[in-house]
Amino acid sequence: MRKPLALPLLCALALAGCGTFGDVEPLLRAPQLSGESAALQKALNSYLGSSATLKYPASGDFLSPFAFGDWDGDGTDEAAVLYTADTGSSNVFLAVLEPTGEDAWRVSRTVEGLSSEVETFSAARLRDAQSQQLLAGYGSAQGDRYLVVYEYDGNELSTISSNRYTAMILADFTGKGDTQDLVLALPADTEYGGVTLQLLTNVDGEFRSYQTLNLGEGSYSGCAALSAGRGRDEAMYLVMDAWAGGNTLVSDIILYDGETGFLQPYHPPGLSDPQRSTLRYHTELLSRDIDGNGTIDIPRELDDGGELQNPMDKSLVFLLWQDYATASGGNSCFGVYDSKNNFFLPLPESMHGSILIRSNPSGTGWLICDSEGTTVYCEMRVVDPADDTGQTDTAYRRIGNIGSQQLQARVVTPYYGLDIDSITSGTVLLGNE
């Protein structure tokens, strides 16, 4: 029997500070074995009587056309393949294949999807601890998105759920321990706007819709993203980034109340007014685990972070990422965000309100200085690595790549809590999802 490969659940983050991915149930993913992949495609082509075109999903647990897992719970791994065929339909098909021997497969069942592209492809234990269900997100030419949950029982491949959605997340919100739940953000369909969340969970052995929760009626125009994880008392939190009036984002926190058995809005200490506290104009700033400590953090743009000299005030903004996950209000992470190059540099809290940032002499980046601008603490720059200018200067350290260019940093004047190692390890390239 094939050994499972560990893969974190889609978007299952742990909420409690300036954050990372927490412990999540491993899922199975297609191994990078060309021989096995070739055997699968050979079996599929033989079944179809023609050559199948493999389709790659854009996101999800499986970024390959091939997925492996024990779909029916019989103790043996099956395979799933996304493909299109010469059938007169441009839609993607999903096939489930059973192993018949060493590197040999047979097609058991196929089903036609809802569009020509698969936006997301994942698996989760939604019904029981043994089997896994397959989730495929499809997008239509009209902009509608549909999430379909498929179940394979060893004989039939059936659809157990199909919903329009704008965002989705899998996690154990209800605390069952051996299964996951699915939360969908549904498209706004009322004149009053707002966001409707739908909780689908296992109820008496049946996976079905359990609750809908309406948020921000009259204030929100849609959901931008969902993220989730564990905070204090091991409670599962759901963080929703929502579109608010105009081109702005705000965030809401929702948690599962074990006493009522439902998801409910949660306003922790320090977040009595989510719309005002989390309002931001840089709409690419979605809640995330910013510092790798296993929590979800919500970004807040600051007016008192320091001084930004022209032209840096056009592309930089001071941020405070807050997780709101403890009784005292949670942890926070202060720093500066470069919206032009889409990266965040965490800074010591002692710099909050007492620094000046100005352009570097070459115009390739910026300098963090004291409030008078006379002492330079560090420099961040983005340069073409093919350009030899300054590349022999070992004071610069490579932080990462931004497109075809390279992000570099150097420390000029030492400052407690800000050295080249902390810059290297702490800088987050937000575009590298």
Side-chain angles (χ1 to χ4, degrees), residues 32-314:
Q32 301 300 311
L33 298 177
S34 58
E36 191 164 37
S37 300
L40 283 168
Q41 187 162 19
K42 179 181 178 181
L44 183 58
N45 291 345
S46 176
Y47 171 83
L48 295 172
S50 61
S51 181
T53 300
L54 301 177
K55 297 296 290 186
Y56 284 78
S59 64
D61 295 328
F62 308 117
L63 299 180
S64 161
F66 307 105
F68 292 85
D70 188 2
W71 313 136
D72 57 7
D74 65 354
T76 300
D77 290 356
E78 292 81 35
V81 182
L82 297 171
Y83 69 97
T84 57
D86 186 16
T87 61
S89 172
S90 62
N91 287 348
V92 173
F93 284 76
L94 172 66
V96 171
L97 295 88
E98 293 273 5
T100 59
E102 188 67 27
D103 289 332
W105 300 85
R106 67 170 178 85
V107 175
S108 175
R109 288 289 184 271
T110 65
V111 65
E112 184 177 357
L114 302 183
S115 73
S116 60
E117 301 295 333
V118 178
E119 294 187 353
T120 185
F121 190 37
S122 297
R125 303 188 189 280
L126 302 175
R127 272 236 159 118
D128 53 53
Q130 290 75 43
S131 66
Q132 295 186 77
Q133 286 66 55
L134 292 161
L135 298 89
Y138 301 100
S140 73
Q142 293 72 35
D144 295 327
R145 304 171 71 196
Y146 292 87
L147 185 76
V148 180
V149 180
Y150 299 103
E151 180 175 62
Y152 177 68
D153 64 5
N155 293 303
E156 299 298 328
L157 179 60
S158 56
T159 297
I160 61 173
S161 175
S162 180
N163 296 274
R164 287 183 64 204
Y165 79 111
T166 58
M168 61 158 283
I169 190 166
L170 291 162
D172 182 14
F173 290 103
T174 57
K176 294 184 177 69
D178 56 356
T179 60
Q180 287 99 38
D181 309 302
L182 172 65
V183 173
L184 301 175
L186 306 181
D189 56 4
T190 69
E191 60 180 308
Y192 303 107
V195 174
T196 298
L197 299 181
Q198 182 179 35
L199 170 65
L200 298 97
T201 188
N202 179 20
V203 180
D204 298 327
E206 180 185 0
F207 180 74
R208 62 180 178 83
S209 176
Y210 181 73
Q211 178 198 1
T212 57
L213 175 66
N214 299 316
L215 299 167
E217 186 173 295
S219 301
Y220 300 163
S221 59
C223 175
L226 297 172
S227 51
R230 295 191 182 275
R232 60 189 177 100
D233 302 325
E234 291 300 298
M236 181 65 75
Y237 289 76
L238 174 66
V239 178
M240 180 186 73
D241 295 325
W243 297 104
N247 196 27
T248 59
L249 282 181
V250 296
S251 298
D252 247 329
I253 298 177
I254 303 98
L255 61 80
Y256 179 78
D257 188 327
E259 293 185 3
T260 65
F262 293 107
L263 295 175
Q264 296 185 354
Y266 173 58
H267 293 168
L271 194 63
S272 57
D273 185 353
Q275 292 189 37
R276 185 171 64 181
S277 300
T278 66
L279 178 68
R280 49 200 185 270
Y281 298 93
H282 289 270
T283 54
E284 69 276 15
L285 289 174
L286 301 175
S287 298
R288 57 175 291 155
D289 175 7
I290 195 65
D291 67 354
N293 71 349
T295 65
I296 299 297
D297 307 292
I298 300 173
R300 178 160 62 94
E301 298 179 13
L302 301 176
D303 295 326
D304 62 353
E307 182 180 349
L308 298 172
Q309 278 193 353
N310 184 52
M312 292 297 98
D313 56 343
K314 305 297 190 301

Side-chain angles (χ1 to χ4, degrees), residues 232 266 268-270 322-331:
R232 60 189 177 100
Y266 173 58
Q322 186 90 26
D323 69 18
Y324 304 101
T326 67
S328 61
N331 301 313

